[in-house]
């Protein structure tokens, strides 16, 4: 594996060589310095490598700009040995004493070069010597290690000095910047992932008299042919595209070309996902892209995925195309008790932060009622918000008309009214994908193909998972059983991610359970569902009794229960709960049952303190049940509790 | 065209036990000889190197072996007039090293040895109108620097000095189709940058912007058959991703989405049984960078011999607690 990487690296160097025939002087100087060649030997050196151009050996300034590639070839071989340093992929090798000594000497030499160089560079900067020599010294050091940011800074200072000094012509400056670009290319050969080198290239392009964008785009093409996953080069490409206003459609064409050359090209799929919404936006604003293109993309990616089902790239992209349509922000549920109003929203928002522009307003009998909102999770952003009401408001015979309205900026987004004594209102949660018939029929075809593929390769993980997502997108009710069956199978065939599949199972199970309950209030039974996680709890803000017994929930999940502000009875028997520190403040909770869990420290009951109405806590069949301290701790922290370890129901 | 699964094969010869004492020796010997080649060649990132080494030593309870006074003096010398801190004496200030220095000083509870007001002004001066941060005055924008800025200011209790909402807006604009984040809007998702962006959103309390299930799935798919984690699809595993990926999953409350035992095996196999220290992959040369991330990963995985680490700051949990910081974490 490592050998392959190395080989590819070597090939890339050679490939680069044949693209180049112009070399500026600083570039050459850096080469020479790194190979310790004295200037008087230059002529001989050049000639011995086939350079027959006119030149003078008085100084490097007259070295011809054009050199044959064979000269470069030989130089790259030498430059391989200069002081490259990188912390990744350095294979440890056993060496004998002789080799060790040779290596030590070699390093000593390199070190000396580095130390003298950097000291000189820093001193010259201190004394304000912004000159060619400064450029030459830093070039030498940077070709060996392009990550020394300060040296790039020094170069920028020198180059800006040349510009400001006003003694150089536009042509000179252009030439100088071109030289800079060549140096950067050289540095990128030492480390194609050097942040500092790539950034310097941006800086040069933004500061040279005439940026040659075509040349830069060609460079990106070249580098991406060598390594199609080089993040830095892709980023640089986007910079070039933006600055030179390359049409998005051209870039889209480029990704198509790259993908056709190799489906397993995550970087290209990624770029596509960014370009598509620019070129083909959905006029309705609900889908990531317009329907016709969406269908086309689905077909392309299916083709890619089926060509090589073990390649991840296409499957990830497909999952994006299968994503649920964007849901609008709405009120989900409103509930009023005698002294609190509790509002649940479809999204997590902040209604207290001025900058988010989202506001909740309360009207009583048509009049605005100023109130302060508090999130139920204690965070700045939450799905559920509560506010205190004056107790006398709902007492007596008066019937109140209550309206909760949601505003974004100056516009009303949604409102819910509670009239003639009604105390709650809710909208049904929407879990289906919401695709059009056209898209759904494409997805149905894909699902059929997946099923066929599974006949041949029943354990293909990617096909199994994608078929689950397709079933959810096509018709989640029709495929309920199949969805769950394939998830169970995934837990078996891909044990590394069994935790993920179990939680996905929990999510679907809860969604199905929510669908079955027309009104999400009063009693909700979520017991015996094999739940390992809790999802969409903001749809439980009106529930009075919730049964989560006989699942596989751990203590981590408790904090998800913060929306249960109306819940009076909560059953969590027979789970894997070991601690209670995630327990939110549930203001209406009276009866809490935690039978048959694994709580072994009595101190955990302290975390129930914020549930101020608790009258019964059942911890029977937990390791801590018989602990002497338990009674005492309950008395201290939960003074309202009358019943411990007995079931009042 | 079949894709070759990029992974490594663990052999039975690789270490299986945690070699704590060796790691302590490895870190404390690093830099004793200031003229050593490897040491000198990393001068340009020295401040981060010190942070890696110190955090590693503190996590394994060996911090007293480090010369505290020498380090504090060094940091003092690295702060420039504008307030920023450079990697080493003579090197220019940069957000990367400013954060490393603040992390070290927080660990030593010695923030007062630098000019905090100027430091805060330096960080503040690097915020751009779109909310993003430059690494230094030369204009490189990256979400890494958004993390550096808010981590740094939160450790100093000065988060309100910058436009947090704008900063968040920029980070969110870097979110991708796969739920992950890149270095700039439009950049491909990468585990290291995902960590930075989640850390940033965790510190500022804005994790609700994240599609935690989608991103969590992408992250758990980083685990390869060898147990190791890579940083992007179709890449080789590397110990440093044990940290970037794992810390991200921990922030999202989805650490259980990878297989713990196989990752532990992989990380342990990356130890150097002769010199101590961790390398990127089994059999490669160890370095302090991979050593801290190997140890921090094992800590998140529940290794009792290593002190608990905070997933957002990559600092000992007790330091984060002492500073009264409670970066947001999600649950399921």
């Amino acid at each position: 594996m490592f050998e392959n990487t190395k080989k590819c690296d070597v090939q890339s160097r050679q490939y680069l060589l044949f693209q180049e025939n112009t070399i500026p002087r600083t570039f050459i100087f850096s080469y020479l310095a790194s190979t310790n060649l004295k200037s008087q030997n230059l002529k001989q050196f050049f000639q011995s490598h086939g350079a027959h151009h006119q030149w003078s050996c008085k100084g490097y300034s007259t070295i011809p700009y054009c050199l044959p590639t064979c000269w470069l070839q030989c130089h790259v071989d030498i430059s391989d040995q200069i002081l490259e340093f990188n912390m990744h992929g350095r294979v440890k090798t056993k060496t004998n004493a002789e080799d060790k000594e040779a290596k030590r000497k070699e390093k000593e030499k390199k070190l000396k070069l580095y130390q003298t160089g950097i000291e000189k560079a820093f001193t010259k900067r201190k004394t304000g010597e912004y000159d060619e020599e400064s450029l030459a010294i830093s070039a030498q050091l940077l070709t060996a290690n392009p990550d020394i940011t300060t040296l790039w800074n020094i170069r920028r200072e020198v180059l800006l000095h040349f510009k400001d000094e006003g003694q150089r012509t536009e042509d000179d400056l252009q030439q100088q910047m071109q030289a800079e670009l060549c140096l950067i290319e050289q540095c990128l050969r030492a480390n194609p992932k050097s942040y500092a080198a790539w950034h310097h290239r941006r800086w040069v392009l933004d500061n040279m008299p005439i940026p040659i964008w075509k040349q830069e785009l060609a460079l990106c093409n070249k580098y991406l042919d060598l390594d199609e996953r080089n993040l830095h080069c892709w980023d640089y490409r986007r910079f070039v595209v933006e600055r030179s206003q390359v049409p998005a459609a051209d870039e889209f064409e480029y990704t198509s070309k790259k993908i056709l050359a190799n489906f397993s090209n995550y970087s290209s799929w990624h770029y596509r996902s960014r370009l598509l919404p620019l070129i083909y936006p959905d006029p309705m604003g609900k889908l990531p892209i317009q329907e016709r293109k969406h269908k086309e993309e689905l077909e392309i990616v299916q083709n890619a995925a089926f060509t090589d089902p073990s390649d991840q790239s296409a499957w990830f992209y497909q999952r994006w195309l299968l994503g649920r349509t964007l849901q609008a922000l709405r009120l989900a549920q409103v509930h009023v008790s005698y002294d609190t109003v509790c509002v649940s929203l479809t999204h997590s928002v902040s209604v207290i932060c001025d900058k988010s522009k989202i506001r909740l307003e309360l009207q009583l009998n048509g009049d605005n009622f100023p109130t302060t909102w508090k999130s139920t999770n204690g965070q700045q952003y939450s799905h559920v918000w509560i506010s205190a009401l004056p107790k006398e408001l709902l007492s007596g015979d008066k019937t109140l008309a209550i309206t909760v309205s949601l505003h974004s900026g100056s516009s009303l987004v949604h409102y819910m009214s509670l009239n003639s004594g009604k105390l709650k209102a809710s909208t049904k949660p929407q879990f289906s994908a919401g695709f059009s018939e056209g898209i759904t029929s494409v997805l149905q075809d894909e699902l059929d193909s997946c099923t066929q593929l599974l006949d041949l390769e029943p354990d293909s993980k990617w096909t199994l998972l994608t078929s689950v997502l397709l079933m959810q997108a096509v018709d989640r009710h029709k495929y309920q059983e199949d969805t769950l069956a394939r998830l169970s199978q995934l837990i078996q065939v891909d044990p590394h991610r069994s935790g993920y599949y179990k939680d996905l199972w929990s999510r679907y199970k809860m969604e199905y359970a929510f669908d079955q309950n027309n009104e999400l209030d009063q009693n909700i039974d979520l017991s015996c569902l094999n739940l390992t996680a809790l999802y969409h709890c903001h749809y439980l803000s009106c529930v009075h009794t919730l049964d989560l017994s006989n699942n596989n929930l751990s203590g981590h999940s408790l904090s998800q229960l913060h929306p249960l502000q109306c819940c009076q009875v909560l059953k969590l028997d027979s789970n894997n709960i070991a601690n209670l520190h995630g327990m939110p403040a549930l203001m209406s909770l009276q009866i809490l049952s935690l039978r048959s869990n694994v709580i072994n420290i009595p101190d955990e009951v302290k975390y129930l303190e914020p549930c101020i109405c608790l009258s019964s806590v059942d911890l029977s069949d937990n390791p801590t049940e018989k602990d002497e301290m338990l009674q005492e701790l309950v008395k201290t922290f939960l003074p309202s509790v009358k019943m411990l370890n007995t079931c009042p129901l | 065209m079949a894709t070759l699964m990029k992974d490594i094969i663990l052999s039975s010869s690789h270490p299986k036990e945690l070699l704590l004492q060796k790691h302590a020796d490895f870190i404390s010997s690093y830099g004793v000889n200031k003229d050593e080649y490897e040491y000198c060649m990393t001068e340009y990132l020295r401040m981060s190197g010190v942070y890696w080494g110190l955090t590693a030593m503190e996590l394994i309870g060996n911090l007293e072996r480090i010369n505290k006074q020498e380090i504090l003096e060094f940091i003092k010398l690295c702060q420039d007039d504008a307030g920023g801190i450079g990697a080493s004496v003579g090197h220019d200030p940069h957000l990367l090293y400013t954060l490393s220095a603040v992390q070290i000083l927080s660990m030593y509870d010695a923030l007062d040895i630098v000019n905090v007001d100027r430091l805060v002004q330096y960080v503040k001066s690097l915020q751009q109108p779109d909310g993003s941060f430059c690494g230094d005055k030369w204009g490189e924008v990256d979400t890494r620097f958004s993390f550096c800025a808010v981590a740094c200011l939160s450790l100093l209790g000065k988060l309100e000095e910058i436009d947090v909402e704008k900063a968040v807006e920029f980070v969110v604009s870097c979110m991708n189709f796969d739920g992950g984040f890149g270095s700039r809007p439009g950049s491909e998702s990468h585990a290291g940058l995902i960590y930075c962006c989640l850390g940033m959103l965790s510190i500022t309390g804005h994790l609700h912007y994240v599609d935690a299930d989608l991103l969590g799935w992408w992250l758990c798919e980083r685990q390869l058959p060898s147990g190791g984690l890579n940083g992007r699809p179709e890449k080789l595993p590397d110990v440093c991703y044990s940290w970037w990926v794992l810390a991200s999953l921990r922030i999202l409350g989805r650490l259980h989405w990878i297989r713990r035992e196989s990752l532990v095996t992989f990380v342990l196999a990356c130890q150097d049984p002769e010199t101590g220290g961790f390398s990127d992959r089994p059999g490669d040369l160890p370095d302090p960078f991979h050593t801290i991330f190997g140890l921090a990963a094992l800590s998140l995985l529940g290794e009792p011999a290593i002190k608990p680490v905070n997933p957002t700051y990559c600092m000992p949990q007790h330091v984060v607690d002492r500073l009264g910081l409670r970066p947001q974490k999600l649950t399921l």
Side-chain angles (χ1 to χ4, degrees):
Chain A
M1 196 65 62
F2 300 126
E3 276 167 14
N4 270 341
T5 323
K6 189 71 193 163
K7 215 192 245 161
C8 163
D9 207 12
V10 169
Q11 277 168 356
S12 72
R13 283 159 196 273
Q14 286 176 350
Y15 184 90
L16 283 169
L17 295 177
F18 292 103
Q19 303 285 315
E20 271 163 30
N21 53 13
T22 5
I23 316 147
R25 53 201 127 137
T26 46
F27 177 64
I28 290 173
F29 184 82
S30 72
Y31 259 130
L32 299 177
S34 66
T35 53
N36 286 330
L37 269 172
K38 299 267 181 328
S39 67
Q40 56 262 40
N41 296 336
L42 273 179
K43 189 172 183 177
Q44 201 186 344
F45 181 81
F46 275 101
Q47 284 176 347
S48 71
H49 290 96
H52 300 296
H53 295 255
Q54 271 224 314
W55 66 292
S56 141
C57 62
K58 277 181 190 153
Y60 46 87
S61 59
T62 49
I63 287 174
Y65 286 106
C66 289
L67 289 168
T69 41
C70 61
W71 179 82
L72 270 174
Q73 175 77 63
C74 131
H75 258 273
V76 165
D77 290 340
I78 299 165
S79 77
D80 263 348
Q81 294 160 23
I82 62 175
L83 24 122
E84 284 178 21
F85 194 85
N86 188 332
M87 279 197 296
H88 286 81
R90 295 179 299 147
V91 183
K92 188 170 177 167
T93 44
K94 296 257 181 237
T95 42
N96 59 33
E98 206 174 305
D99 287 350
K100 253 187 195 163
E101 181 54 22
K103 250 196 177 146
R104 195 192 59 78
K105 279 198 173 147
E106 178 69 23
K107 279 182 179 176
E108 205 172 290
K109 211 169 81 189
K110 288 180 189 173
L111 182 59
K112 192 101 192 139
L113 264 175
Y114 168 79
Q115 283 175 330
T116 334
I118 204 134
E119 207 193 309
K120 188 91 197 269
F122 283 4
T123 314
K124 282 179 74 75
R125 181 198 213 182
K126 245 187 202 156
T127 50
E129 290 174 66
Y130 294 120
D131 55 15
E132 297 271 2
E133 194 194 25
S134 183
L135 287 182
I137 296 167
S138 53
Q140 180 198 347
L141 293 163
L142 284 165
T143 24
N145 184 355
D147 284 327
I148 310 175
T149 316
T150 305
L151 292 176
W152 291 116
N153 298 347
I154 293 177
R155 292 189 79 78
R156 287 188 275 261
E157 286 168 5
V158 173
L159 294 167
L160 288 176
H161 176 76
F162 287 171
K163 200 171 160 182
D164 295 342
E165 184 186 50
Q167 287 178 5
R168 289 174 196 242
T169 64
E170 191 100 317
D171 268 3
D172 281 347
L173 290 172
Q174 180 75 9
Q175 203 78 266
Q176 193 75 50
M177 290 298 195
Q178 280 284 6
E180 207 62 12
L181 293 180
C182 287
L183 170 70
I184 295 166
E185 262 207 83
Q186 165 65 1
C187 291
L188 289 174
R189 255 171 253 165
N191 179 7
K193 294 178 178 172
S194 166
Y195 279 104
W198 284 106
H199 175 64
H200 188 58
R201 202 168 182 95
R202 285 192 190 90
W203 184 89
V204 169
L205 264 295
D206 276 344
N207 283 278
M208 67 196 292
I210 309 156
I212 308 169
W213 295 111
K214 270 202 176 130
Q215 174 185 298
E216 296 310 295
L217 202 59
L219 174 114
C220 293
N221 287 341
K222 184 171 80 181
Y223 271 59
L224 291 175
D225 282 345
L226 297 170
D227 177 3
E228 59 194 11
R229 299 295 306 284
N230 186 335
L231 276 182
H232 300 266
C233 189
W234 280 107
D235 278 348
Y236 184 68
R237 184 186 186 92
R238 281 181 276 268
F239 161 79
V240 172
V241 163
E242 192 202 318
R243 286 283 198 279
S244 57
Q245 294 171 345
V246 176
D250 290 7
E251 286 299 281
F252 186 71
E253 204 44 51
Y254 179 73
T255 67
S256 300
K257 207 179 87 192
K258 292 304 271 182
I259 287 167
L260 278 178
N262 180 9
F263 284 139
S264 173
N265 186 340
Y266 196 86
S267 306
S268 292
W269 291 109
H270 155 79
Y271 196 16
R272 240 174 140 73
S273 79
R274 281 279 185 167
L275 292 165
L276 276 168
L278 298 177
I279 315 173
Y280 308 98
D282 175 27
M284 308 295 287
K286 281 179 77 183
L287 291 165
I289 46 177
Q290 58 179 252
E291 181 160 334
R292 183 184 58 82
K293 200 66 198 171
H294 197 172
K295 276 191 204 166
E296 256 178 60
E297 286 299 289
L298 278 165
E299 276 154 15
I300 293 172
V301 78
Q302 186 197 12
N303 185 14
F306 285 2
T307 305
D308 177 12
S310 65
D311 166 45
Q312 298 196 354
S313 309
W315 296 112
F316 276 105
Y317 187 71
Q318 189 173 41
R319 183 160 194 175
W320 174 61
L321 294 171
L322 292 179
R324 287 174 181 171
T325 49
L326 300 173
Q327 279 201 21
L329 172 65
R330 286 274 183 278
L331 297 172
Q333 298 178 331
V334 172
H335 181 277
V336 178
S337 68
Y338 79 108
D339 63 351
T340 332
V341 54
C342 173
V343 178
S344 159
L345 300 117
T346 52
H347 295 64
S348 187
V349 295
S350 180
V351 302
I352 47 173
C353 167
D354 294 341
K355 285 187 181 152
S356 81
K357 292 188 187 131
I358 305 283
R359 279 177 302 115
L360 277 178
E361 277 180 12
L362 188 62
Q363 280 190 336
L364 300 178
N365 291 333
D367 297 325
N368 271 342
F369 185 81
T371 181
T372 319
W373 296 98
K374 207 176 111 195
S375 67
T376 54
N377 61 358
Q379 304 272 344
Q380 204 186 342
Y381 288 80
S382 176
H383 275 96
V384 184
W385 293 83
I386 50 173
S387 175
L389 289 177
K391 281 182 188 158
E392 59 280 8
L393 218 57
L394 286 174
S395 57
D397 305 328
K398 286 182 288 179
T399 48
L400 262 183
I402 300 173
T403 301
V404 174
S405 52
L406 172 69
H407 303 258
S408 173
S410 56
S411 54
L412 173 69
V413 177
H414 190 208
Y415 71 93
M416 281 184 173
S417 289
L418 307 176
N419 291 316
S420 49
K422 253 181 74 183
L423 293 178
K424 61 186 120 195
S426 62
T427 51
K428 217 168 160 42
Q430 181 57 260
F431 299 121
S432 54
F435 287 128
S436 69
E437 253 176 62
I439 298 273
T440 307
S441 88
V442 176
L443 299 182
Q444 181 71 58
D445 287 349
E446 291 200 14
L447 180 55
D448 296 343
S449 309
C450 277
T451 309
Q452 284 169 21
L453 200 63
L454 285 171
D455 284 342
L456 301 171
E457 295 173 48
D459 287 346
S460 163
K461 156 202 160 166
W462 291 99
T463 322
L464 277 169
L465 180 59
T466 304
S467 69
V468 165
L469 302 173
L470 285 165
M471 289 190 284
Q472 288 292 306
V474 172
D475 187 341
R476 28 191 300 280
H477 286 288
K478 179 176 157 194
Y479 292 113
Q480 180 171 351
E481 264 176 48
D482 288 341
T483 296
L484 297 170
R486 286 190 188 174
L487 274 178
S488 307
Q489 205 182 336
L490 275 165
I491 294 171
Q492 301 303 317
V493 302
D494 188 17
H496 274 79
R497 278 156 282 272
S498 61
Y500 167 68
Y501 301 120
K502 285 176 185 170
D503 287 354
L504 191 57
W505 163 288
S506 306
R507 180 177 182 143
Y508 290 152
K509 272 285 192 184
M510 287 187 76
E511 289 175 359
Y512 286 128
F514 284 2
D515 285 340
Q516 279 168 8
N517 286 275
N518 270 332
E519 297 275 323
L520 283 168
D521 59 358
Q522 300 300 331
N523 304 333
I524 299 284
D525 183 2
L526 297 174
S527 66
C528 307
L529 297 179
N530 269 326
L531 302 182
T532 50
L534 295 174
Y535 279 91
H536 313 303
C537 288
H538 55 286
Y539 289 112
L540 297 171
S541 73
C542 295
V543 169
H544 283 173
T545 301
L546 177 63
D547 190 352
L548 283 165
S549 301
N550 293 298
N551 285 301
N552 295 314
L553 298 169
S554 73
H556 296 301
S557 296
L558 293 177
S559 60
Q560 293 291 92
L561 296 171
H562 66 87
L564 272 69
Q565 295 298 320
C566 298
C567 184
Q568 295 166 0
V569 182
L570 175 59
K571 289 170 76 174
L572 285 158
D573 302 348
S574 303
N575 278 289
N576 291 317
I577 298 169
N579 56 63
L580 301 174
H581 63 245
M583 193 70 184
L586 301 182
M587 305 313 269
S588 311
L589 189 64
Q590 294 169 11
I591 299 169
L592 173 64
S593 182
L594 287 158
R595 295 174 81 103
S596 304
N597 276 287
V598 285
I599 302 166
N600 54 16
I601 308 168
D603 291 57
E604 292 293 327
V605 298
K606 281 197 284 196
Y607 296 110
L608 301 176
E609 201 180 2
C611 303
I612 45 173
C613 294
L614 264 186
S615 63
S616 162
V617 176
D618 193 348
L619 289 167
S620 8
D621 200 16
N622 276 281
T624 193
E625 181 193 358
K626 299 277 182 277
D627 200 301
E628 301 162 353
M629 291 295 291
L630 187 61
Q631 291 272 359
E632 213 43 50
L633 285 161
V634 168
K635 239 185 230 167
T636 318
F637 290 99
L638 313 172
S640 59
V641 168
K642 304 284 177 288
M643 275 192 270
L644 179 65
N645 297 345
T646 51
C647 176
L649 299 173
Chain B
M1 144 190 67
T3 8
L4 192 62
M5 169 64 99
K6 288 191 176 159
D7 197 5
I8 53 135
I9 294 163
L10 293 180
S11 83
S12 56
S13 64
H14 296 126
K16 290 173 196 64
E17 305 294 325
L18 180 59
L19 311 167
L20 272 194
Q21 208 43 55
K22 285 214 181 272
H23 299 317
D25 295 344
F26 176 74
I27 298 285
S28 62
S29 69
Y30 200 83
V32 166
N33 177 3
K34 299 260 184 296
D35 283 326
E36 206 176 304
Y37 173 69
E38 279 80 6
Y39 182 78
C40 291
M41 292 314 287
T42 53
E43 188 184 33
Y44 73 95
L45 51 71
R46 177 76 62 245
M47 192 62 75
S48 294
V50 173
Y51 153 73
W52 300 328
L54 284 192
T55 310
M57 288 303 251
E58 173 55 18
L59 288 179
I60 57 179
N62 273 270
L63 191 60
E64 76 286 348
R65 287 177 66 177
I66 303 279
N67 185 336
K68 176 176 168 179
Q69 227 34 57
E70 190 188 351
I71 286 172
L72 296 185
E73 282 306 314
F74 169 71
I75 295 179
K76 242 177 161 169
L77 289 174
C78 291
Q79 185 172 33
D80 101 326
D81 295 340
I85 294 173
S88 201
V89 182
H91 288 253
D92 290 347
H94 195 285
L95 264 185
L96 287 170
Y97 310 111
T98 305
L99 172 62
S100 292
V102 169
Q103 285 173 310
I104 297 165
L105 295 176
S106 302
M107 252 186 292
Y108 275 139
D109 201 5
L111 283 163
D112 51 343
I113 70 134
V114 289
N115 187 328
V116 172
D117 289 342
R118 278 199 195 160
L119 196 153
V120 170
Q121 285 313 310
Y122 175 75
V123 176
K124 200 178 161 175
S125 74
L126 293 171
Q127 187 168 30
Q128 305 302 301
D130 64 355
S132 67
F133 280 84
C134 292
D136 61 14
K137 68 171 184 177
W138 294 103
E140 186 185 6
V141 166
D142 196 304
T143 45
R144 287 178 301 149
F145 310 143
S146 299
F147 172 77
C148 290
V150 301
C152 191
L153 292 181
S154 63
L155 288 167
L156 298 168
K158 300 278 186 191
L159 204 50
E160 72 287 350
E161 290 282 334
I162 52 159
D163 188 338
V164 172
E165 293 294 324
K166 268 275 171 205
V168 167
E169 207 176 285
F170 176 77
V171 166
V172 171
S173 76
C174 298
M175 198 190 287
N176 289 320
F177 78 107
D178 47 25
F181 296 84
S183 49
R184 280 177 286 273
S187 304
E188 182 183 339
S189 299
H190 176 282
L193 296 157
I194 289 171
Y195 163 81
C196 288
C197 292
L198 288 183
M200 191 278 179
L201 297 174
S202 149
I203 291 169
T204 58
H206 286 78
L207 284 173
H208 66 282
Y209 281 121
V210 179
D211 186 339
D213 272 4
L214 185 63
L215 176 53
W217 173 62
W218 188 92
L219 287 165
C220 75
E221 280 294 344
R222 298 304 102 242
Q223 188 164 37
L224 299 166
S226 66
L229 305 172
N230 62 15
R232 290 192 283 157
E234 319 293 351
K235 291 277 178 183
L236 283 173
D238 182 327
V239 159
C240 62
Y241 293 112
S242 307
W243 174 256
W244 313 122
V245 174
L246 214 55
S248 298
L249 282 168
R250 180 71 190 81
I251 291 171
L252 295 177
R254 284 153 173 83
L255 196 61
H256 59 287
W257 284 8
I258 55 125
R259 192 177 210 175
R260 184 185 167 279
E261 314 80 61
S262 349
L263 179 56
V264 170
T265 309
F266 175 85
V267 176
L268 290 178
C270 294
Q271 299 175 103
D272 189 317
E274 290 163 18
T275 59
F278 291 74
S279 56
D280 55 352
R281 284 179 279 280
D284 285 359
L285 283 168
D287 60 69
F289 174 83
H290 289 95
T291 303
I292 173 58
F293 294 127
L295 290 169
L298 291 173
S299 167
L300 277 189
L301 292 166
E303 166 57 53
I306 305 172
K307 292 184 191 173
V309 67
N310 180 276
T312 298
Y313 288 98
C314 192
M315 286 165 68
Q317 183 61 44
H318 69 88
V319 176
V320 176
D321 289 341
R322 168 164 55 72
L323 292 167
L325 297 170
R326 300 192 56 148
Q328 190 189 0
K329 279 184 228 163
L330 299 181
T331 54
L332 252 187

